[in-house]
Amino acid sequence: MFLVVVIMNKSKSVAHELKTPLAVIKTQIDVLNQQDTITLEDYQSTLKVIERTVGKMSDLLDTLLETNQDKSNLNEILNIEEIIQDVIEDLDVIAKRKNIKLSYSINQNPISYGNSVLMYRCLYNLVENAIKYNQTGGKVEIQCEACPLNYSIRILDNGIGIPNEKIDKIFEPYYRCEKSNKDGIGLGLAMVKSIVTLHKGHIIVESEMNQGSQFILNFPQLKKESIVL
């Protein structure tokens, strides 16, 4: 059985996944309201972000609430660099509130197959966590390296870190470290693990307390119809 569907069919998990794009919209509106002088360009820029985010929420709901999963849903062309840029653009306003710098580097843009909505959610959840559990003035970097047969994506931060004894548990549904914020219900990383597995990849976590963490995602370069439910 497709683990993502098992997890995501629960109402709590759907609510969790909708919470983050709603936070993007609220932050954009808050930033606009805090400005002393608001120009037409400010309104247009904010509306553009909100419109794009609402579109992504719609795509997310379509993906999470589908009852009939078929191969076509997992055989979209994945432009990894575009997905990374999308994630950074959507989370930049949240990062700026903590004065956290977001950046990415890529040696070659991987073009693979899979589900672009799910891959976006996977990277979004990891980068959002890297911001949430970071220090003010910190940094989050996404690194992507590709070769003809596979590619890797690294999400690095210099935040609070994860205790070694907790690393094996963080991907369990509903699990949250004691030191983590009370926000959320512990489904974000469970979904990440499921999406990585779906795309025939695996994930490695390296962390040092008060120094930061890195999540390393390794994927094969998938061809059309290579993902079978």
Side-chain angles (χ1 to χ4, degrees), residues 32-185:
L32 190 67
N33 287 334
Q34 289 167 7
Q35 294 178 210
D36 293 330
T37 303
I38 304 176
T39 66
L40 177 60
E41 288 75 17
D42 293 329
Y43 279 115
Q44 290 174 333
S45 176
T46 300
L47 286 173
K48 183 179 179 181
V49 173
I50 291 174
E51 182 180 22
R52 187 177 66 245
T53 304
V54 169
K56 286 175 182 173
M57 290 173 67
S58 178
D59 291 341
L60 179 62
L61 277 173
D62 287 343
T63 298
L64 300 184
L65 300 179
E66 273 179 333
T67 54
N68 272 329
Q69 296 278 348
D70 56 40
K71 290 182 182 180
S72 64
N73 295 327
L74 301 169
N75 281 290
E76 305 169 27
I77 294 177
L78 298 179
N79 186 320
I80 301 301
E81 184 170 17
E82 285 188 0
I83 293 174
I84 291 173
Q85 290 173 337
D86 220 11
V87 168
I88 289 178
E89 185 175 3
D90 289 346
L91 285 170
D92 186 58
V93 67
I94 294 175
K96 284 179 177 176
R97 299 186 84 174
K98 292 183 67 174
N99 193 28
I100 290 174
K101 181 181 178 181
L102 296 181
S103 63
Y104 85 95
S105 61
I106 187 167
N107 74 328
Q108 181 180 338
N109 185 23
I111 304 295
S112 188
Y113 283 84
N115 186 297
S116 58
V117 173
L118 292 178
M119 186 63 75
Y120 169 87
R121 293 310 309 172
C122 173
L123 299 183
Y124 186 105
N125 285 353
L126 288 173
V127 176
E128 185 195 28
N129 275 356
I131 295 170
K132 183 186 299 183
Y133 301 116
N134 212 321
Q135 56 189 338
T136 300
K139 61 182 180 180
V140 177
E141 183 178 2
I142 306 173
Q143 300 175 350
C144 183
E145 297 183 357
C147 63
L149 297 180
N150 51 64
Y151 65 97
S152 66
I153 303 172
R154 293 172 181 254
I155 293 89
L156 305 94
D157 68 69
N158 58 345
I160 64 175
I162 306 167
N164 286 334
E165 66 272 15
K166 306 295 185 184
I167 289 178
D168 290 339
K169 299 179 180 180
I170 60 175
F171 296 106
E172 297 175 3
Y174 305 105
Y175 179 81
R176 292 190 296 114
C177 293
E178 289 85 348
K179 291 186 178 182
S180 66
N181 293 345
K182 293 182 179 180
D183 296 339
I185 55 175

